[in-house]
Amino acid sequence: EFALGRLNSNAGTTKDISPGGASLEAEIESLGDETVELTFDDLGEFDASVVRQWDECVSLMLDLEEDEKYSLQEELEAFTEIDLDRD
């Protein structure tokens, strides 16, 4: 689940996330070139810039410093290891 700025999009899907950005699928109103606040339940809050929006999808670039990118990468790798252990 995620929240995107003033929109609480719990019905959406995170299609992809990396330290550089995220791709989300949800019914989201037009965002233009806004900077938005993106919140993931298990990862926290991030400032992000809208890169592209189409149909019911939006691609965002996360505005992170190098050390923040490194920390996020470690967290994402930990989630991947947890998911692999469940299979």
Side-chain angles (χ1 to χ4, degrees):
E1 293 184 349
F2 60 87
L4 184 58
R6 64 192 178 283
L7 308 171
N8 193 358
S9 300
N10 292 332
T13 303
T14 303
K15 301 301 273 180
D16 184 47
I17 184 168
S18 72
S23 179
L24 312 173
E25 184 176 341
E27 292 185 31
I28 300 171
E29 66 186 54
S30 179
L31 297 171
D33 338 349
E34 292 182 47
T35 296
V36 295
E37 185 176 279
L38 178 62
T39 305
F40 291 97
D41 290 343
D42 295 325
L43 296 173
E45 292 181 7
F46 305 93
D47 288 332
S49 302
V50 177
V51 175
R52 183 171 177 231
Q53 186 171 3
W54 69 103
D55 300 325
E56 293 182 351
C57 297
V58 62
S59 291
L60 302 164
M61 179 174 64
L62 301 180
D63 301 328
L64 299 174
E65 300 293 327
E66 283 302 313
D67 60 326
E68 294 171 316
K69 287 181 182 181
Y70 181 77
S71 294
L72 178 57
Q73 181 64 39
E74 286 183 331
E75 289 183 60
L76 293 172
E77 288 173 2
F79 279 126
T80 302
E81 289 175 15
I82 291 169
D83 285 344
L84 291 175
D85 289 342
R86 291 182 186 168
D87 291 338

